[in-house]
């Protein structure tokens, strides 16, 4: 699944200045706009379950789910056009750093651990990072992304300069690998990896979190507008309580969850959705005390790594950008 990227541009900086007050008012807060990070997929299933089963309605909320604009969900949430949205901890970093910091907070982890890694055709030596040498890799051309690849390749005794970086945004991993458009791709296994399984493409794969614990960051996360959180915390909590029920249902009944997502997004491949829901059932919450919980240590470890490697414009202070306060007790 494609990750939306935040670009540190003058437009973002201006938006940060312009969004000092979003004007959210309690009497209108029952209407919630939620912006996705990309097209509907199994990262979003709890949201669709909560809407389909009436959990939002029971909480007195009218929730509209919208697609992200070209410049991403985070800017839309920061500007007050949406109260909630989906982002990723790594993509959030520019929004939390320096003069261009935006008024957003991660209020829940959609999946408890980072399930992303590098996938390749089976048997071509890329089952470990060093094997990426002399092979092509589809890069988003992002500094954090490439620094992570460099870290795991060199940590495996490889030479990062020998990885052939091909700027490309792959939306169909199966076709890209089968056609040899590229040799290796960064995937979120619950979608891109499962797609190769459903299509009977044999692959090799390694996960970032298995190679460096610092890379077990939160991806994706639910983000919220800071002004909305401070001005109407009870509505924010009501929304998160209903959303939590949706994800708890997805954990308990993957097949039923798949049916609800396919009903909401009939363009999706049913076999793909069913397999992805089964894969994620024990990963949404994993060993955490409740769905959505963000561990401060893991959150800070990743941003400290970004700080140490000068991958942000200004250091991100510890405990910046997340809160567990809006999750149900």
């Amino acid at each position: 699944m494609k990750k939306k990227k935040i670009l540190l541009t003058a437009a973002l900086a201006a938006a940060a200045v312009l969004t000092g007050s979003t004007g959210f008012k309690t009497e209108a807060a029952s209407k919630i706009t939620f912006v996705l990070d990309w097209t509907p997929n199994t990262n979003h299933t709890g949201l669709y379950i909560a809407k389909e089963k009436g959990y939002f309605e029971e909480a007195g909320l009218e929730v509209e789910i919208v697609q992200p604009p070209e410049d991403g969900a985070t800017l839309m949430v920061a500007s007050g056009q949406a109260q909630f949205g989906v982002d990723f901890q790594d993509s959030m970093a520019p929004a939390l750093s320096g003069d261009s910091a935006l008024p957003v907070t991660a209020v829940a982890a959609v999946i408890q651990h980072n399930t992303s890694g590098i996938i390749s055709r089976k048997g071509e030596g890329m089952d470990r990072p060093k094997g990426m040498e002399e092979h092509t890799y589809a890069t988003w051309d992002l500094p954090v992304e490439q620094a992570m690849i460099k870290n795991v390749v060199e940590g495996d005794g490889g030479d990062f300069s020998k990885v052939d970086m091909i700027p490309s945004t792959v939306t169909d991993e199966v076709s890209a690998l089968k056609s040899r458009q590229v040799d290796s791709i960064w995937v979120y296994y619950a979608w891109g990896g499962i797609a190769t399984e459903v299509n009977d493409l044999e692959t090799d794969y390694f996960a970032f979190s298995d190679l460096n614990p610092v890379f077990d960051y939160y991806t994706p996360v639910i983000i919220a507008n800071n002004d909305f959180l401070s001005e109407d915390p009870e509505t924010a909590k009501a929304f998160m309580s209903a959303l939590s029920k949706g994800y708890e249902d997805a954990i308990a009944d993957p097949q039923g969850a798949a049916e609800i997502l396919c009903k909401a997004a009939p363009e999706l491949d049913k076999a793909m959705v069913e397999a992805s829901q089964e894969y994620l059932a024990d990963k949404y919450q994993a060993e955490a005390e409740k769905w959505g919980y963000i561990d401060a240590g893991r959150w800070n470890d990743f941003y400290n790594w970004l700080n140490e490697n000068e991958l942000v414009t200004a250091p991100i202070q510890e405990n910046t950008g997340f809160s567990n306060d809006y999750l149900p007790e």
Side-chain angles (χ1 to χ4, degrees):
M1 59 192 73
K2 182 180 176 184
K3 173 166 57 176
K4 298 302 287 181
K5 311 169 190 66
I6 301 174
L7 301 178
L8 283 176
T9 62
L12 266 182
V17 174
L18 291 172
T19 55
S21 175
T22 59
F24 288 121
K25 297 186 183 298
T26 302
E27 60 267 22
S30 60
K31 291 188 176 181
I32 297 290
T33 298
F34 188 106
V35 58
L36 303 179
D37 57 303
W38 194 236
T39 53
N41 55 67
T42 48
N43 280 347
H44 313 135
T45 309
L47 178 71
Y48 287 102
I49 291 174
K51 190 173 179 69
E52 172 69 17
K53 291 191 173 183
Y55 297 154
F56 291 135
E57 186 177 0
E58 289 169 8
L61 304 173
E62 181 184 333
V63 177
E64 179 185 13
I65 303 170
V66 301
Q67 298 290 313
E70 186 61 32
D71 49 10
T74 300
L75 186 56
M76 188 170 173
V77 173
S79 66
Q81 297 174 70
Q83 288 92 340
F84 292 95
V86 179
D87 202 354
F88 304 77
Q89 188 184 351
D90 52 342
S91 295
M92 280 184 70
L96 302 176
S97 175
D99 294 337
S100 60
L102 299 178
V104 295
T105 296
V107 291
V110 174
I111 301 170
Q112 189 57 216
H113 294 283
N114 183 359
T115 61
S116 70
I118 301 299
I119 201 165
S120 60
R121 291 177 297 275
K122 190 171 183 63
E124 296 186 9
M126 287 166 282
D127 56 331
R128 53 184 287 186
K130 179 176 169 55
M132 295 178 72
E133 292 179 343
E134 313 299 343
H135 288 95
T136 58
Y137 164 71
T139 177
W140 295 307
D141 258 345
L142 297 176
V144 172
E145 167 217 6
Q146 295 190 2
M148 288 177 61
I149 297 289
K150 183 174 188 289
N151 179 275
V152 297
V153 168
E154 293 183 350
D156 193 31
D159 183 345
F160 175 68
S161 68
K162 293 182 179 179
V163 180
D164 187 4
M165 312 289 276
I166 305 296
S168 176
T169 299
V170 174
T171 56
D172 184 341
E173 292 83 2
V174 175
S175 294
L177 291 174
K178 279 187 173 180
S179 66
R180 297 184 176 272
Q181 174 187 335
V182 291
D183 297 326
S184 59
I185 305 168
W186 183 322
V187 295
Y188 294 85
Y189 201 88
W191 200 252
I194 293 296
T196 65
E197 293 183 15
V198 170
N199 287 277
D200 297 321
L201 175 63
E202 292 190 339
T203 60
D204 286 319
Y205 174 78
F206 62 82
F208 290 107
S209 60
D210 288 342
L211 299 169
N212 188 336
V214 165
F215 297 152
D216 193 17
Y217 56 86
Y218 289 97
T219 175
V221 293
I222 306 296
I223 60 171
N225 176 280
N226 288 354
D227 291 320
F228 169 70
L229 292 176
S230 63
E231 292 174 18
D232 203 347
E234 293 310 312
T235 298
K237 289 177 180 178
F239 174 86
M240 292 305 300
S241 180
L243 183 64
S244 295
K245 291 179 183 178
Y247 280 99
E248 288 164 2
D249 285 359
I251 292 167
D253 181 12
Q255 179 64 39
E259 291 175 4
I260 288 174
L261 180 58
C262 287
K263 178 182 177 181
E267 69 276 11
L268 296 176
D269 179 83
K270 186 178 180 182
M272 169 77 176
V273 171
E274 289 175 344
S276 181
Q277 289 296 167
E278 289 289 348
Y279 173 84
L280 283 174
D282 64 356
K283 294 177 177 61
Y284 284 125
Q285 182 173 336
E287 78 291 346
E289 61 187 47
K290 55 188 170 184
W291 174 83
Y293 181 78
I294 296 174
D295 178 77
R298 283 170 48 209
W299 182 272
N300 291 328
D301 283 348
F302 181 66
Y303 281 160
N304 286 336
W305 183 81
L306 295 187
N307 294 342
E308 292 163 6
N309 287 276
E310 299 181 343
L311 292 166
V312 283
T313 56
I316 300 174
Q317 300 302 311
E318 291 214 333
N319 301 320
T320 295
F322 83 94
S323 173
N324 290 309
D325 294 347
Y326 301 92
L327 295 173
E329 296 295 333

